[in-house]
Each structure stands twice: as C-alpha cells, then as structure tokens.
Amino acid sequence: PRLGAPRLSPAGRPLPYRKAGVMTTYENQRFFPGLGWGQKMLPTDRWRWSDAQGRAERRREQIAAPRNGGAFIGEWHVFVCSDTDVE
C-alpha cells in the first residue's frame, strides 16, 4: 500500500484508524555512599519502577493495553541517553 493510503479489510472496506502511542516507565535506584547504586529504596523514595513524576508504580507485568480495542504492537525497548548508567 502507498504511504497514507487507508488499510483495507479483506472485503475492501477501509479499516478504522489506530493511533500508536508510547508508554514510558522509569527505573529508579538509590546511590549509597561507599556502596554505589542499588535497587534497595527508602520509604520516602520513588517507586522502583514508576511514571515520570515517581508518583505511580509501574511494573511491566501490571501494564495492560488500553481497553478500547488497543493492543501492544511490539516488545519493550530500553531507551539509553547520556545520563543512563552501564547497567
């Protein structure tokens, strides 16, 4: 199909448009002087896996596709930027 052309059903009818989105989850760690980075968190810290604000816990196994007919279209990927550690 050409770029921008509607997807068609086997009967030749246009299929509904589906919008792709991105769900972001952050891994949080704590730095302990003399020990380095660790996965153990203090009660006042963000969740180990959270949203961008650190207020909502997000674990991979708890995240579901949207209920309005949505589905995951691929595997999870780790986004690495300049302040990401080697681990």
Side-chain angles (χ1 to χ4, degrees):
R2 73 186 195 319
L3 186 63
R7 294 181 4 206
L8 301 177
S9 71
R13 294 189 199 105
L15 291 172
Y17 172 75
R18 287 195 172 180
K19 184 178 178 182
V22 175
M23 186 176 294
T24 306
T25 300
Y26 293 84
E27 177 184 15
N28 301 299
Q29 294 183 336
R30 169 164 281 287
F31 183 79
F32 293 95
L35 298 174
W37 291 99
Q39 297 178 2
K40 187 171 181 172
M41 307 296 276
L42 298 178
T44 55
D45 289 335
R46 295 172 173 229
W47 294 98
R48 175 92 171 80
W49 295 91
S50 72
D51 63 355
Q53 292 77 32
R55 295 185 192 120
E57 182 179 23
R58 284 193 180 158
R59 288 194 232 157
R60 180 179 179 159
E61 58 275 1
Q62 292 176 324
I63 298 174
R67 294 181 189 175
N68 59 351
F72 290 120
I73 58 173
E75 287 297 314
W76 287 53
H77 300 280
V78 176
F79 176 75
V80 180
C81 59
S82 60
D83 60 349
T84 304
D85 61 10
V86 241
E87 187 187 344

